[in-house]
């Protein structure tokens, strides 16, 4: 996909409407409006904000927060975000109590080049989620150019992510550019062989993903609770493990599809089991199928992880979504942590391009201490998953030229 970037824009004196994702966690202990407890998404927006400021633009930030469903909800105001962003930027950040109309216009008119303004929650208006043309027109009235820096919201065809891009000259922000380039490297035009790791608990939530990946990858490892369904589909006993037994035939369809597309599937060879899922529970390694009726599969076994690492070592590109076990709980974090650290080692040695994404995935890589070592780690969640499924993301498609 071809899209305009900020180095192609005339920024001086321009009003830049920037779609960011400031849907960040707030602590309610600091008063009615709360305090930002995780500034990751604020820091991610800094390169775009600073590029625009250095270019002499007026930086006008648009974001949603939570799900107010088109109504003004005081607890879902973006107002507490402004001082947190101010601290991250080290520059003043003004706030306007609406994103359209006289209030927004007055705040924009008061700006000087290089100033930063945060407008109120776009979802306070029903026109946002309805992708309403009139609401998009009202947003566009305060801008000369549009910048989308919110890949995490790009799977939604909303006014501030899709319609607005058709009303003003549209550009990808710095974070959006990095995200799209990393994703293209991983699946668009990857260096082969390409390997995928897909984990998590439910096959039912990742059916589209699995069906798409087996047509695009050379190898695919399936782990976590979803692997139990595949083992069951192959006739293995899974004891008291979580398993979507009604999807056994679907799992067999995925296995057949992988074979038809020459995608080698990696399922567990051995497993880590326990009678209860609790920190420090007595864990045992079993061969696949050798499990007591009261035991649960909670992690991949050492032979499985060793084979996984060999497969990664013989790959050039890796894309990872989902943990291999109950990584939040020792000793069932071992498989995920060991595999993640080995992938990170290959990246550091220049032998592998590794792109990962999804909420649980980021948490798992953080637990392994390797987020900074992967080639790219996306925090986009739903948008990352839909992109992996091969779906068109409206917010990205709107930037194409």
């Amino acid at each position: 996909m071809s899209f305009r970037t900020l180095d192609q824009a005339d920024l001086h004196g321009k009003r830049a409407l920037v779609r960011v994702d400031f849907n960040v966690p707030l602590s309610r202990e600091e008063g009615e409006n709360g305090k930002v407890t995780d500034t990751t998404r604020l820091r991610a927006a800094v390169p775009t904000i600073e590029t625009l400021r250095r270019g002499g633009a007026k930086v006008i930030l648009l974001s949603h927060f939570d799900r107010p469903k088109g109504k003004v909800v005081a607890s879902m105001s973006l107002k507490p975000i402004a001082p947190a962003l101010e601290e991250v930027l080290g520059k003043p950040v003004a706030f306007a109590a609406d994103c359209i109309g006289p209030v927004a216009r007055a705040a924009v008119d008061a700006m000087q080049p290089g100033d930063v303004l945060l407008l109120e929650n776009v979802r306070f208006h029903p026109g946002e989620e309805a992708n309403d043309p009139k609401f998009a027109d009202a947003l566009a009235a305060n801008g000369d150019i549009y910048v989308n820096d919110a890949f995490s919201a790009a799977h939604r065809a909303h006014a501030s992510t899709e319609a607005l891009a058709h009303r003003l000259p549209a550009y990808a922000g710095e974070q959006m550019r990095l995200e799209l380039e990393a994703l293209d490297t991983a699946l668009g035009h990857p260096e082969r062989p390409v390997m995928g790791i897909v984990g998590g608990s439910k096959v039912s939530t990742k059916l589209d993903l699995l069906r798409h990946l087996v047509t695009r990858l050379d190898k695919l490892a399936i782990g976590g609770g979803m692997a139990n369904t595949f083992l069951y589909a192959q006739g293995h006993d899974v004891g008291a493990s979580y398993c979507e037994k009604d999807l056994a035939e679907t799992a067999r369809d995925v296995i057949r599809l992988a074979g038809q597309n020459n995608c080698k599937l990696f399922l567990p060879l051995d497993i880590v089991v326990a009678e209860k899922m609790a920190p420090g529970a007595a864990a045992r390694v079993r061969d696949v199928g050798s499990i007591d009726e009261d035991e649960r599969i909670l992690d991949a076994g050492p032979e499985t992880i060793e084979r996984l690492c060999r497969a990664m070592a013989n790959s050039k590109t890796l894309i990872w979504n989902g943990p291999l076990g109950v990584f939040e709980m020792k000793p069932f974090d071992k498989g995920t942590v060991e595999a993640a650290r080995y992938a990170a080692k290959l990246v550091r040695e220049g032998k592998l391009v590794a792109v990962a994404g999804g909420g649980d995935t980021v948490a798992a890589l953080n637990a392994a201490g390797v987020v900074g070592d992967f080639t790219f780690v996306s925090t986009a969640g739903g948008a990352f998953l839909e992109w992996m499924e091969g779906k068109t993301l409206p917010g990205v498609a709107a930037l194409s030229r």
Side-chain angles (χ1 to χ4, degrees):
M1 173 176 290
S2 177
F3 50 88
R4 287 187 292 248
T5 52
L6 291 178
D7 58 347
Q8 300 167 299
D10 175 16
L11 301 176
H12 188 72
K14 295 291 194 300
R15 300 169 301 166
L17 284 172
V18 188
R19 182 51 159 96
V20 291
D21 184 356
F22 286 172
N23 193 27
V24 298
L26 289 182
S27 165
R28 300 297 176 184
E29 299 172 3
E30 303 294 330
E32 182 183 350
N33 286 326
K35 184 177 181 180
V36 175
T37 58
D38 183 346
T39 61
T40 301
R41 286 183 169 174
L42 305 188
R43 286 184 277 109
V46 169
T48 293
I49 294 172
E50 288 297 345
T51 296
L52 292 167
R53 290 186 67 256
R54 286 195 304 270
K58 301 173 183 179
V59 186
I60 305 155
L61 304 172
L62 300 169
S63 181
H64 71 283
F65 184 83
D66 214 328
R67 300 178 183 273
K69 299 181 180 179
K71 298 178 181 178
V72 176
V73 180
S75 63
M76 298 180 191
S77 172
L78 283 170
K79 189 174 183 179
I81 311 296
L85 179 61
E86 197 168 89
E87 190 172 333
V88 167
L89 273 177
K91 302 285 190 307
V93 176
F95 177 76
D98 202 350
C99 60
I100 59 172
V103 171
R105 172 52 62 91
V108 171
D109 287 346
M111 297 178 75
Q112 297 297 317
D115 285 354
V116 181
L117 169 68
L118 176 63
L119 300 182
E120 185 56 283
N121 193 343
V122 290
R123 288 188 182 173
F124 280 0
H125 295 268
E128 165 64 5
E129 293 185 86
N131 202 13
D132 180 65
K134 290 183 179 179
F135 181 64
D137 289 341
L139 290 173
N142 288 316
D144 301 306
I145 65 171
Y146 169 73
V147 181
N148 193 338
D149 208 31
F151 179 80
S152 53
H155 58 315
R156 308 295 187 200
H158 292 171
S160 67
T161 60
E162 201 274 336
L164 190 51
H166 300 295
R167 282 157 174 76
L168 298 170
Y171 300 86
E174 291 300 290
Q175 187 65 23
M176 175 72 86
R177 178 183 61 79
L178 288 174
E179 190 103 29
L180 294 178
E181 288 176 353
L183 300 185
D184 185 62
T185 298
L187 265 189
H189 299 86
E191 188 176 357
R192 292 189 177 277
V194 187
M195 179 175 178
I197 295 176
V198 176
S201 58
K202 294 182 178 181
V203 173
S204 54
T205 62
K206 296 189 177 180
L207 274 178
D208 289 346
L209 173 62
L210 295 172
R211 287 172 175 150
H212 180 64
L213 288 183
V214 295
T215 68
R216 301 294 297 276
L217 304 179
D218 301 301
K219 316 169 194 177
L220 176 62
I222 297 175
M226 63 193 303
N228 302 341
T229 302
F230 279 83
L231 294 176
Y232 176 80
Q234 292 184 320
H236 296 297
D237 188 2
V238 294
S241 308
Y242 177 82
C243 179
E244 293 174 289
K245 295 182 179 180
D246 59 322
L247 291 179
E249 185 55 39
T250 300
R252 287 190 284 268
D253 286 341
V254 172
I255 293 171
R256 283 191 288 268
L257 187 60
Q260 291 165 7
N261 287 276
N262 297 314
C263 176
K264 184 176 180 180
L265 272 188
F266 291 82
L267 294 171
L269 299 170
D270 58 345
I271 50 181
V272 177
V273 304
E275 292 179 5
K276 60 180 179 178
M277 188 171 66
R284 295 172 287 280
V285 176
R286 303 273 203 196
D287 289 334
V288 164
S290 300
I291 185 173
D292 294 339
E293 63 179 15
D294 58 346
E295 290 179 329
R296 301 180 180 191
I297 302 171
L298 299 174
D299 197 9
E303 188 179 349
T304 298
I305 298 303
E306 184 180 342
R307 184 178 65 156
L308 198 61
C309 290
R310 285 199 305 272
M312 285 191 282
N314 292 318
S315 302
K316 293 294 185 182
T317 305
L318 173 70
I319 183 163
W320 188 328
N321 175 260
L324 302 175
V326 186
F327 75 94
E328 306 95 333
M329 196 177 293
K330 292 182 180 297
F332 311 114
D333 61 334
K334 190 172 182 181
T336 301
V337 168
E338 287 189 3
R341 287 179 177 169
Y342 189 76
K345 173 179 175 289
L346 292 173
V347 175
R348 289 195 301 271
E349 293 172 351
K351 298 176 180 177
L352 185 71
V353 170
V355 174
D360 284 347
T361 314
V362 177
L365 298 184
N366 270 319
V370 297
V371 164
D373 292 322
F374 268 53
T375 309
F376 189 81
V377 177
S378 172
T379 58
F384 181 84
L385 194 59
E386 289 195 20
W387 168 82
M388 284 183 68
E389 292 168 357
K391 295 177 179 176
T392 298
L393 307 186
V396 174
L399 294 176
S400 64
R401 54 173 184 167

